[in-house]
Amino acid sequence: MALLHIESLPPQTTKGTIVRLLIQIGKVDRAKIGRIEVVNRTARVEIPDRQLGRAVKLLDGENLANRKIHVWGEPSSLPATFANEHFARLAHLLQIEAAAEAERVAQTLKNLTPRDAEQSGHSIVDLIVREEHAGLGGHVLVLFAKRSGTPFVWTRLGIGAPVVLSNSLDETRLRGVVSRKSALSIEVAFPQALPAEISDSVIRLDLSNDEIARTRQHSALLKIRSAVGDRLSHLRQVLLGEARAEFQGTTELSFFNEGLDTSQQETVTFALSGQDVALIHGPPGTGKTTALVEIVQQAVSQGDKVLACAPSNTAVDNLFQRLLGVGEKVVRLGHPARVLPELRNQTLDLMVESHDDTKLVRKLTREAHALFHKAARFTRAKPEVGERREMREEAKRLLEDARRLEVQVVQQILDDADVVCATLTGLDTQVMGQRNFDLAVIDEACQTTEPACWIPLLRSNRVILAGDHCQLPPTVISREAEAEGFGISMFERLMQMGEDELSRRLTVQYRMHRDIMQFSSKQFYQGGLVAHPSVATHCLADLEAVDQNEQTSSPVIFIDTAGAGFEEEMEPDGESRRNPSEAKLVLHKLQELREAGLTPPEIAIIAPYAAQVRLIRSQCAMEGLEIDTVDGFQGREKEVILITCVRSNAQGAIGFLADTRRINVALTRARRKLIVVGDSATIGAHPFYQQLLEYFEGIGAYHTVWEETLET
């Protein structure tokens, strides 16, 4: 039996409704309908393979209770092709990774009392429902507060965090996403209303793995795998190397951004010529996002609708802000609280909220809930026969009217937009409906595992991916999944498959002094990067209010701690490493920079280990100064970067530092000054760091800690 997948179902859709839908609209034989599974707003139905194609064609896009449902099919068996094996492997690894994420969350909370769980930041307990109202896309927004009315303690349950609700009355566990938070309350978006018995009980929220994101990725893999004879199936063949990517010459472009360099112009022209896929390889500081903005502008000017995505909210906001800045008609999907404050008015939620028709939607919704409440109340007077049922039916009709009107508002706003921005896993079928795009652009495509990249491809005729596989790869928790290649992004796989044919590299960088740039250029980019004249020789002394001295006039310094007893140690009660002596030296250099006139927001400290970050933060509470791991600085830049390597041991063990892409990120965040502190005897045994040390010596940047001691 084949599987018929139905998505975007109305809340509380019954199996009986699905059977009637299949028979009356889908023309499926009643006797041939097999098992039906309904989970939240999706359903899977077993039907004969021979009836699958017709059912999908008749049902996809059909209205059910004022909602357009999305329907697709999965044949009972697929031939043993490379494509099927590829997607089966990705689905398997996605499941392994999801299990590892869930296990990590479970282990964190295991054996903790409710009070300890709350103190750990992973839970909020003793909550009651304060308010419940309708949200966009049929979601229900529930506001919780402490039963005692007291403020929350510090918590990891921030905006956008996936959570699981439980109560003390039964084993019911409901998944939602934090949509708003204050000191006294927390709002969570659920796919449907809470059962009455839960709303009236004492509630607990626990941080969870992101099951919604996993479900969307898994669904995308199944859809891509099952596509036959359409544009999607052809795009799949191209992206798996089973068909050749096509490129067509473009007419000479008139560039919107007259400041684009030759490398950027050539890359934009090449990317727009791609009929299926094109890659933009953007090394640090080369204006990758600038090129993407130009591509979007060019596509829109040709009448294209564009879907602009990235793995994280921060990366999406960067692209979103730039597109707004050049005057594009763009809408941002995602809860406004997850978006930068200055950009929130252009989010779909707030645009819907400010629409004239939304006032009527809210009025109809309030009236419906008032009727439901009235029908549920017990009164002294016995109600007329059927009166309560009539109230409930009227309330349902009001909600249907409100939902229909809201859908019209959403579709109108999306129709008016030329560009829609969203995270890869934030593309909600219930909001997007059947909407398709001429072009999808994916920024920071190397920072996500492959399944997430397939989600926007379900809606796009062609795709442009931008990233740098020589920087940080996707974060993978499961060692098993990592070992089997789950950490290889789609971008990196395509580069391995056809770098010369599918990609163009940007070569002019606008961030770093050339001495900061050169080592990474040689090691990772075949020496192909050129520092733009505006940054090639700039230094700290050029900044207003900064003193000119040896510290501020040189671009790079490495301080060797070998032989000084700067030994690393394990963090007490932890599994991460730190180096107190290095931390002290880094803070000494920070103080020198401050005395020279640098402000805290111009400086950042990077460490490869979280324990070192925690140690330095505990010793330096300087407002505006950023102290973080390498991962936290991907795509970022500062005037000054101080790097503490941490590792110092007799065995020459370097741990995380062995991932040279990680150090590439750290080395290329600085604009005018890079300071690296490390033990050459420990890190120098690795060929990469041996070459780095030789480079530092070659540019006169090598110093020893003994020189620093003499100066202090």
Side-chain angles (χ1 to χ4, degrees):
M1 297 280 278
L3 283 177
L4 187 73
H5 294 263
I6 310 175
E7 299 177 345
S8 301
L9 289 168
Q12 301 174 340
T13 299
T14 65
K15 292 183 180 180
T17 300
I18 292 172
V19 169
R20 289 192 295 273
L21 180 72
L22 295 177
I23 296 171
Q24 296 171 8
I25 308 297
K27 307 303 180 185
V28 179
D29 294 340
R30 184 185 188 98
K32 301 295 185 181
I33 298 175
R35 184 175 58 180
I36 300 176
E37 295 179 358
V38 182
V39 180
N40 291 331
R41 297 186 183 182
T42 66
R44 293 193 305 175
V45 186
E46 292 180 343
I47 65 172
D49 279 272
R50 66 179 180 274
Q51 297 187 29
L52 183 64
R54 181 178 64 178
V56 170
K57 185 176 181 180
L58 292 172
L59 292 170
D60 191 31
E62 183 67 22
N63 273 309
L64 183 63
N66 298 315
R67 297 172 186 268
K68 278 192 174 182
I69 58 173
H70 181 47
V71 180
W72 55 281
E74 183 182 356
S76 59
S77 62
L78 293 169
T81 64
F82 168 72
N84 290 333
E85 292 175 358
H86 179 76
F87 289 107
R89 184 181 69 86
L90 286 179
H92 173 64
L93 295 179
L94 179 64
Q95 190 64 39
I96 292 175
E97 177 68 3
E101 291 179 1
E103 176 64 19
R104 184 173 69 171
V105 172
Q107 285 297 323
T108 301
L109 298 175
K110 187 178 181 181
N111 298 326
L112 291 180
T113 65
R115 182 180 180 279
D116 289 342
E118 187 167 64
Q119 289 294 325
S120 74
H122 290 82
S123 306
I124 304 179
V125 302
D126 201 33
L127 296 169
I128 57 174
V129 174
R130 289 293 190 193
E131 189 178 314
E132 189 172 336
H133 59 277
L136 188 64
H139 288 89
V140 176
L141 304 178
V142 183
L143 189 70
F144 301 97
K146 282 282 191 179
R147 185 169 48 166
S148 60
T150 56
F152 299 139
V153 297
W154 175 83
T155 179
R156 300 178 190 274
L157 275 62
I159 295 166
V163 295
V164 170
L165 176 151
S166 60
N167 68 352
S168 57
L169 300 179
D170 54 34
E171 295 299 319
T172 302
R173 295 174 65 81
L174 301 176
R175 289 184 174 272
V177 175
V178 176
S179 54
R180 188 157 51 97
K181 180 177 170 290
S182 69
L184 293 169
S185 65
I186 184 167
E187 182 185 79
V188 179
F190 293 98
Q192 60 192 48
L194 300 184
E197 62 272 17
I198 291 182
S199 296
D200 296 334
S201 65
V202 179
I203 290 166
R204 167 173 170 163
L205 295 175
D206 292 311
L207 189 66
S208 171
N209 57 310
D210 196 343
E211 188 64 20
I212 294 174
R214 187 202 67 80
T215 299
R216 288 176 180 167
Q217 291 176 74
H218 188 263
S219 177
L221 294 177
L222 291 178
K223 292 176 187 177
I224 295 284
R225 182 187 182 191
S226 304
V228 178
D230 56 9
R231 176 60 185 164
L232 185 58
S233 64
H234 176 72
L235 197 56
R236 178 191 65 206
Q237 289 178 309
V238 171
L239 293 173
L240 294 184
E242 297 179 328
R244 188 178 182 85
E246 297 293 331
F247 292 87
Q248 293 182 359
T250 60
T251 57
E252 186 172 342
L253 297 176
S254 176
F255 294 101
F256 290 92
N257 185 345
E258 297 178 355
L260 294 179
D261 61 54
T262 302
S263 167
Q264 290 170 329
Q265 291 179 0
E266 291 175 350
T267 298
V268 169
T269 302
F270 168 78
L272 289 170
S273 73
Q275 303 304 294
D276 307 295
V277 60
L279 307 180
I280 298 176
H281 183 191
T286 53
K288 169 174 56 64
T289 305
T290 298
L292 276 184
V293 169
E294 179 71 28
I295 287 169
V296 172
Q297 288 184 277
Q298 293 287 343
V300 169
S301 72
Q302 297 168 17
D304 286 349
K305 293 289 188 178
V306 180
L307 177 59
C309 295
S312 68
N313 282 297
T314 300
V316 174
D317 280 348
N318 182 34
L319 192 54
F320 179 45
Q321 188 171 32
R322 298 282 293 276
L323 289 168
L324 285 174
V326 296
E328 290 298 333
K329 294 173 65 177
V330 55
V331 174
R332 170 75 154 91
L333 303 188
H335 195 281
R338 291 188 238 178
V339 179
L340 291 173
E342 61 269 26
L343 306 178
R344 288 175 185 168
N345 286 337
Q346 292 302 118
T347 60
L348 179 61
D349 291 58
L350 291 189
M351 292 177 77
V352 170
E353 194 66 35
S354 61
H355 195 280
D356 291 340
D357 290 345
T358 301
K359 294 179 181 178
L360 179 55
V361 172
R362 298 292 177 254
K363 180 177 181 292
L364 293 173
T365 302
R366 285 195 302 271
E367 291 177 0
H369 284 299
L371 283 173
F372 277 128
H373 181 67
K374 186 176 181 181
R377 282 190 306 179
F378 291 96
T379 62
R380 292 180 179 272
K382 184 178 180 180
E384 295 291 332
V385 176
E387 183 180 356
R388 289 183 175 178
R389 181 174 60 82
E390 289 176 3
M391 287 182 186
R392 294 190 184 99
E393 291 302 318
E394 176 62 18
K396 289 179 181 178
R397 284 192 292 271
L398 289 172
L399 286 178
E400 288 175 1
D401 290 342
R403 171 61 184 167
R404 181 169 57 250
L405 191 56
E406 182 186 71
V407 168
Q408 291 173 358
V409 172
V410 169
Q411 297 313 309
Q412 180 184 333
I413 292 172
L414 292 178
D415 286 343
D416 288 343
D418 291 320
V419 187
V420 174
C421 291
T423 59
L424 294 170
T425 57
L427 294 171
D428 188 347
T429 301
Q430 295 180 41
V431 173
M432 299 291 287
Q434 309 295 107
R435 192 171 304 276
N436 286 297
F437 298 84
D438 301 290
L439 171 67
V441 297
I442 302 176
D443 199 6
E444 304 296 357
C446 295
Q447 294 183 32
T448 181
T449 56
E450 182 167 333
C453 276
W454 286 106
I455 298 176
L457 297 184
L458 297 172
R459 300 179 174 275
S460 309
N461 290 328
R462 65 189 196 278
V463 62
I464 295 170
L465 298 97
D468 181 13
H469 57 296
C470 300
Q471 295 188 63
L472 285 175
T475 300
V476 177
I477 295 172
S478 167
R479 292 184 179 180
E480 179 183 354
E482 176 73 34
E484 294 189 34
F486 197 54
I488 298 175
S489 65
M490 177 185 285
F491 186 100
E492 183 175 0
R493 179 175 63 75
L494 291 173
M495 288 291 285
Q496 295 170 353
M497 190 174 78
E499 178 176 355
D500 296 334
E501 177 186 355
L502 299 178
S503 73
R504 291 293 184 272
R505 180 194 292 164
L506 299 170
T507 57
V508 181
Q509 70 85 16
Y510 297 84
R511 175 187 300 162
M512 297 165 275
H513 187 289
R514 63 188 172 206
D515 285 354
I516 300 174
M517 174 200 73
Q518 288 289 3
F519 179 76
S520 287
S521 175
K522 179 180 178 181
Q523 288 291 320
F524 296 97
Y525 310 109
Q526 294 76 52
L529 298 188
V530 176
H532 189 268
S534 63
V535 301
T537 59
H538 68 180
C539 59
L540 293 177
D542 298 330
L543 294 173
E544 188 177 353
V546 173
D547 298 338
Q548 183 166 355
N549 54 41
E550 183 179 356
Q551 176 85 289
T552 61
S553 300
S554 63
V556 182
I557 179 173
F558 172 75
I559 304 175
D560 190 357
T561 65
F566 282 31
E567 296 293 323
E568 65 184 70
E569 64 182 31
M570 294 296 294
E571 185 180 33
D573 302 321
E575 297 180 357
S576 186
R577 297 176 186 274
R578 64 186 193 180
N579 191 315
S581 298
E582 271 195 19
K584 183 178 180 180
L585 178 55
V586 165
L587 292 177
H588 167 68
K589 301 304 292 183
L590 169 66
Q591 186 59 34
E592 288 185 349
L593 291 166
R594 294 285 289 114
E595 291 172 357
L598 274 297
T599 63
E602 295 173 314
I603 309 169
I605 299 174
I606 298 179
Y609 289 88
Q612 186 78 338
V613 169
R614 287 189 286 269
L615 175 64
I616 297 175
R617 284 177 178 171
S618 70
Q619 297 178 352
C620 180
M622 190 177 293
E623 185 175 355
L625 174 69
E626 291 192 60
I627 307 167
D628 211 338
T629 59
V630 179
D631 303 59
F633 278 98
Q634 177 95 347
R636 307 280 310 288
E637 62 181 53
K638 291 284 185 177
E639 297 294 350
V640 188
I641 293 291
L642 299 98
I643 301 173
T644 163
C645 295
V646 178
R647 301 312 297 263
S648 179
N649 55 75
Q651 296 75 35
I654 61 173
F656 288 149
L657 296 180
D659 185 351
T660 56
R661 291 182 293 183
R662 188 173 297 274
I663 199 66
N664 182 37
V665 172
L667 293 173
T668 55
R669 301 306 96 196
R671 288 176 47 78
R672 301 170 188 263
K673 181 76 176 187
L674 173 66
I675 301 174
V676 183
V677 177
D679 183 344
S680 65
T682 298
I683 66 175
H686 191 285
F688 174 87
Y689 291 99
Q690 180 59 44
Q691 294 174 50
L692 178 61
L693 293 170
E694 291 172 357
Y695 174 75
F696 286 149
E697 286 193 80
I699 62 172
Y702 179 87
H703 296 262
T704 70
V705 69
W706 309 109
E707 297 172 62
E708 293 296 320
T709 303
L710 290 173
E711 293 175 4
T712 58

